[in-house]
Amino acid sequence: MATRLCALAELSPGVPLRVELDSTEVAVVRVGEEIFAIEDVCSHADIPLSEGDVEDCTIECALHGSRFDLRTGKPTGPPATRPVPVFETSVVDGDVFAELDS
Ligand code: FES
């Protein structure tokens, strides 16, 4: 089931928005016309990825500098080695939704 994350208008390009839901925290990122949703916890330690910079469709962990591909959740470099869950997004009537259960 799709879960509403935020309004599209709340997203500035390349600026992560942290959304706290009952089940999880999600970092929502707009890159161009695409919207990405990634769990807002680094896989290396319990750090919000939404505090990091976005560049070339990756988000950087602000603590140790691993970058995660927003499309796949996979780290592009150490020290993180495990992927972070990513969620499929959609935009309906100006609101951003994600499939958190898939
Ligand atoms: S806590 Fe994210 S790379 Fe170490």
Side-chain angles (χ1 to χ4, degrees), residues 42-47 49 61-66 68 78-80:
C42 183
S43 63
H44 184 234
D46 190 7
I47 298 296
L49 292 175
C61 175
L63 189 58
H64 301 125
S66 279
F68 295 87

Side-chain angles (χ1 to χ4, degrees), residues 32-95:
E33 293 305 310
E34 292 188 274
I35 310 295
F36 298 97
I38 186 168
E39 192 171 292
D40 197 14
V41 183
C42 183
S43 63
H44 184 234
D46 190 7
I47 298 296
L49 292 175
S50 58
E51 295 179 4
D53 293 330
V54 173
E55 192 179 299
D56 294 337
C57 225
T58 64
I59 189 167
E60 183 181 51
C61 175
L63 189 58
H64 301 125
S66 279
R67 305 196 73 91
F68 295 87
D69 191 313
L70 289 165
R71 293 163 292 213
T72 64
K74 291 180 181 166
T76 63
T81 56
R82 288 175 291 121
V84 174
V86 293
F87 309 105
E88 188 177 332
T89 64
S90 58
V91 178
V92 180
D93 292 337
D95 287 322

